Amino acid sequence: MTLTSMTPTSQAHEISAASRLEHVRYAIRDLACVADEVVKQGHKVLPLNVGDPLNFDFQTPPHIIEAVYKAMRDGKNGYSPSSGIPEALQAIRGEAARKGITTVHDVFVTSGVSETVDLCLSALVNPGEDVLTPSPDYPLYSAVLCKLGIRLNAYDLNEDDAWQPELADIERKVTPRTRGIVLINPNNPTGSLCTRQMLEQVAELAHRHNLIVFSDEIYDKLILDGTPHIAFASVAPDVPCVTFGGMSKNYLVPGWRIGWGIVSGDAAAVKAYTDGVNRLLRARLCANHP
Ligand SMILES: Cc1ncc(COP(=O)(O)O)c(C=O)c1O
């Protein structure tokens, strides 16, 4: 049967979206759709919501653009290995060393930290399990967890303690089905930095409850008052951890979609999980390459 021989129906059947998307929200971008409508009605809108430094007069350094342009001209436009090209992996290992992370087991390149988050959560949780995420949150985490059908388990950041994680609240919320904890340090949206003592306390708690720590450090070079950044994995070399980093903010190229993960901790403890992450990395071929 061809399309033209099909009898036209007066009523179109709706193609519904998967029901697991019902609770997927990404407040920042969802709000942008509303703002677009308001702009269409002729109103002026100041876009203070999307964290794109290029919208606020920052410029990508020309030598970075030249390097990518040269790579493309030199024919580096094919697929890369699923973890990333060797030069990038070496550079990420160098970055891990500068951050004081000594127990690195694996590094991999992703299409932005957004993909690192998606991969790392997908590789961890089974139905009925959960991951502790900070509140107020950066909405990517809850969006991915909702997509995976995972119940949200948010812990408080304490405004009266410079927005440090509220340890008592974390302790209250850990259950036998909790598999991991997300730290965003420096934090979005609060801008706070975790103290060394806080990182040590989170490490102790993670160790005691057998949790993997996802330490999102995408803003580690953007601390404006000069306070040194302390990488979680540097104070907790034995605790299973994936440190997230990327080029979007620190190197002013959010549109290039380049991020990475650094897996560290006790070797035996992270082996099976790392294999799972690599299976997912292979399943999506590779990240952006040139
Ligand atoms: C805390 C945090 N993590 C991850 C991301 C996503 O970054 P990427 O552009 O690398 O996907 C952002 C972007 O705003 C962020 O604020």
Side-chain angles (χ1 to χ4, degrees):
M1 186 171 60
T2 64
L3 268 181
T4 46
S5 70
M6 286 169 69
T7 319
T9 53
S10 54
Q11 203 188 339
H13 289 283
E14 189 185 56
I15 309 293
S16 57
S19 48
R20 68 174 179 280
L21 303 191
E22 197 184 332
H23 300 293
V24 174
R25 303 272 183 281
Y26 189 94
I28 300 167
R29 293 264 166 163
D30 293 350
L31 185 67
C33 298
V34 178
D36 286 347
E37 287 305 313
V38 174
V39 169
K40 275 189 208 144
Q41 291 159 15
H43 297 280
K44 192 165 187 275
V45 169
L46 288 177
L48 298 178
N49 51 316
V50 176
D52 184 344
L54 303 186
N55 278 348
F56 299 97
D57 299 337
F58 291 94
Q59 307 241 314
T60 304
H63 70 276
I64 301 188
I65 294 174
E66 282 306 319
V68 173
Y69 183 41
K70 181 172 181 315
M72 287 179 166
R73 277 195 328 247
D74 290 349
K76 299 186 174 166
N77 300 301
Y79 290 122
S80 74
S82 294
S83 301
I85 57 171
E87 295 91 327
L89 299 179
Q90 203 184 339
I92 295 165
R93 283 182 181 271
E95 176 70 354
R98 280 190 292 279
K99 285 163 77 72
I101 306 174
T102 53
T103 50
V104 177
H105 297 297
D106 199 18
V107 298
F108 53 89
V109 183
T110 53
S111 295
V113 170
S114 303
E115 196 194 22
T116 330
V117 170
D118 199 332
L119 278 170
C120 287
L121 291 174
S122 301
L124 182 72
V125 276
N126 296 301
E129 297 175 341
D130 66 69
V131 173
L132 285 153
T133 53
S135 173
D137 78 332
Y138 169 62
L140 176 63
Y141 290 92
S142 44
V144 171
L145 289 166
C146 284
K147 185 181 79 175
L148 294 171
I150 297 298
R151 160 187 98 87
L152 297 183
N153 190 4
Y155 68 86
D156 290 341
L157 302 176
N158 184 352
E159 183 171 8
D160 296 329
D161 185 20
W163 294 108
Q164 295 292 305
E166 174 78 64
L167 281 168
D169 194 46
I170 298 176
E171 201 70 74
R172 260 194 304 278
K173 289 185 174 155
V174 179
T175 76
R177 315 222 64 185
T178 305
R179 301 288 313 283
I181 177 165
V182 173
L183 273 186
I184 304 179
N185 177 40
N187 188 267
N188 179 10
T190 69
S192 69
L193 258 189
C194 283
T195 61
R196 178 177 292 277
Q197 190 196 10
M198 175 55 63
L199 296 176
E200 286 168 354
Q201 286 171 311
V202 172
E204 187 279 322
L205 189 145
H207 177 71
R208 189 156 34 86
H209 293 286
N210 204 18
L211 307 179
I212 186 168
V213 176
F214 297 127
S215 189
D216 182 336
E217 303 182 5
I218 192 169
Y219 294 103
D220 63 354
K221 298 188 199 308
L222 292 176
I223 300 166
L224 305 184
D225 68 3
T227 309
H229 178 260
I230 305 170
F232 173 83
S234 73
V235 302
D238 295 330
V239 173
C241 176
V242 188
T243 303
F244 302 163
M247 292 195 65
S248 294
K249 320 289 180 174
N250 286 342
Y251 298 97
L252 301 166
V253 287
W256 291 4
R257 314 304 302 125
I258 298 287
W260 54 82
I262 302 166
V263 183
S264 59
D266 179 84
V270 291
K271 168 133 192 3
Y273 175 71
T274 308
D275 289 349
V277 169
N278 277 279
R279 218 172 306 148
L280 287 181
L281 287 167
R282 292 193 292 276
R284 64 34 152 162
L285 305 189
C286 66
N288 301 326
H289 172 212

